[in-house]
Amino acid sequence: MRTTDEDVASVVGRMRRVGGRRDGLGVFNAVYVEVTRAVGRQLAANGFEDAETAARLAVRFANRYLKAVEDDAKGRQAPASWRPLLRMRAHRDIHPLQFALAGVNAHVGHDLPLAVVDTCRATGCEPPALAADFDRVGEILTAVEERVREELMPGPDLLELADPLTHVVGSWSLDRARDAAWAAARLLWALRGRPDAYEECVRRLDAGVGLIGRCLLTPVGRRS
């Protein structure tokens, strides 16, 4: 790594090249560009306890998403957590907010715990050493997610409890997903010396996150 800012900036550049599509993947990609730029600003402002390690985490986190997109584009099978969004991104009866949350679900639920483990292996630290900066990244994600919900959710006339879109997007919580990601990272780290158990845990985590993604992408009909 040359400098933290250059590395995060290069990741943003790669994301911008992904974001040309006007579909469900493009919706999530725009959200993630915003998140990554916010992380870069916090790095520049010394907003993390360990800027270098936080930058390593941010880059490894982003690379897992970009690898899933690349695999799909080249006909290789992407992780199960990403398949619902990648396969349904052109569906006309899925609302943009659902696409945004499905992407965040895949990225936080699957990619984030693996990125924590990747970073710990690369730096020689253990997950507790990343806890404060993990939480800081989570705060940035939460702030962006709240804004996205406000911008993409239809008007008050549709915010009825029985409305399908309200039910679907209200059934998922970023806070709970972050908690689960941290627990998964701790578990995977504890299993790192047992390859069979580690790989089984990763497969089951991937499948479970993918199932949640399928539920989030339940077609509810597009609204103007």
Side-chain angles (χ1 to χ4, degrees):
M1 298 181 67
R2 292 166 55 194
T3 70
T4 55
D5 289 341
E6 285 178 344
D7 285 316
V8 172
S10 68
V11 167
V12 171
R14 291 170 62 200
M15 288 179 194
R16 290 190 184 283
R17 291 192 289 275
V18 170
R21 302 183 181 90
R22 298 179 61 84
D23 61 9
L25 181 63
V27 171
F28 167 71
N29 194 79
V31 172
Y32 195 30
V33 166
E34 185 176 350
V35 169
T36 308
R37 290 181 64 194
V39 170
R41 289 192 295 271
Q42 286 295 312
L43 286 166
N46 296 316
F48 291 95
E49 287 194 1
D50 183 339
E52 183 174 355
T53 301
R56 286 176 180 267
L57 174 60
V59 170
R60 283 173 169 77
F61 188 27
N63 280 340
R64 285 192 169 272
Y65 158 61
L66 292 167
K67 178 66 160 55
V69 173
E70 179 185 356
D71 284 346
D72 182 69
K74 293 185 175 180
R76 299 190 294 261
Q77 184 163 271
S81 49
W82 282 106
R83 284 177 224 155
L85 176 56
L86 292 168
R87 292 175 178 176
M88 300 182 74
R89 64 194 190 196
H91 201 300
R92 298 182 61 83
D93 289 326
I94 297 174
H95 192 275
L97 179 57
Q98 293 175 263
F99 287 124
L101 295 184
V104 176
N105 169 70
H107 200 36
V108 171
H110 174 260
D111 297 348
L112 184 53
L114 293 175
V116 169
V117 173
D118 291 344
T119 304
C120 289
R121 289 183 188 274
T123 61
C125 69
E126 298 207 355
L130 293 178
D133 288 336
F134 178 97
D135 288 342
R136 184 70 191 110
V137 171
E139 290 167 5
I140 293 170
L141 280 164
T142 297
V144 173
E145 187 233 10
E146 289 173 353
R147 188 159 61 252
V148 167
R149 282 183 183 263
E150 291 174 1
E151 292 173 357
L152 295 183
M153 193 68 187
D157 55 318
L158 292 175
L159 298 183
E160 300 291 339
L161 183 62
D163 178 74
L165 177 60
T166 303
H167 175 78
V168 169
V169 301
S171 66
W172 185 83
S173 164
L174 177 56
D175 286 342
R176 300 291 78 78
R178 285 169 49 195
D179 290 346
W182 182 248
R186 295 290 301 269
L187 175 60
L188 290 171
W189 185 251
L191 292 175
R192 67 192 185 282
R194 301 177 59 190
D196 290 347
Y198 181 94
E199 292 301 327
E200 180 178 358
C201 187
V202 170
R203 286 195 302 272
R204 294 183 183 275
L205 174 67
D206 189 25
V209 173
L211 178 60
I212 295 170
R214 288 181 62 189
C215 293
L216 283 170
L217 293 175
T218 299
V220 296
R222 294 289 292 270
R223 274 81 167 214
S224 58

